[in-house]
Amino acid sequence: MKLTRAFFNEIRELIRAARATVAQGADLVQVHTNFEIGRRIVEQEQKGKERAAYGKAVIRALRGSVDVGIWQGLFRA
């Protein structure tokens, strides 16, 4: 069996395409996660009211209760 350069190029392209797809999927999961975090913050602060008066205190409380490394680059407080 002789393996050609074209064969290796096809394999390389399959791997590249798979990695790109995985990266896009991970981005989508991160967007969904951030949306859910925001939704839950709003629900917690509104407690059934139409509008909430929340701010930096919520973010500080979250930072204090969850691994600090998780929050890097997500919020400015």
Side-chain angles (χ1 to χ4, degrees):
M1 169 191 266
K2 183 177 178 183
L3 301 177
T4 65
R5 181 176 294 271
F7 173 79
F8 288 112
N9 288 340
E10 289 172 5
I11 299 300
R12 186 179 298 116
E13 179 56 27
L14 284 170
I15 293 169
R16 188 206 60 75
R19 287 179 178 165
T21 300
V22 167
Q24 289 172 349
D27 288 345
L28 181 60
V29 170
Q30 187 65 55
V31 167
H32 178 73
T33 300
N34 291 347
F35 175 82
E36 284 299 316
I37 290 168
R39 185 180 66 78
R40 290 172 190 199
I41 290 170
V42 169
E43 286 177 357
Q44 177 66 30
E45 286 299 311
Q46 287 179 346
K47 297 181 181 169
K49 298 176 189 171
E50 188 174 328
R51 301 190 117 200
Y54 61 90
K56 293 180 182 180
V58 173
I59 302 306
R60 282 193 294 271
L62 284 171
R63 282 183 177 160
S65 66
V66 181
D67 177 30
V68 174
I70 261 176
W71 299 109
Q72 284 184 321
L74 288 179
F75 303 110
R76 290 185 197 119

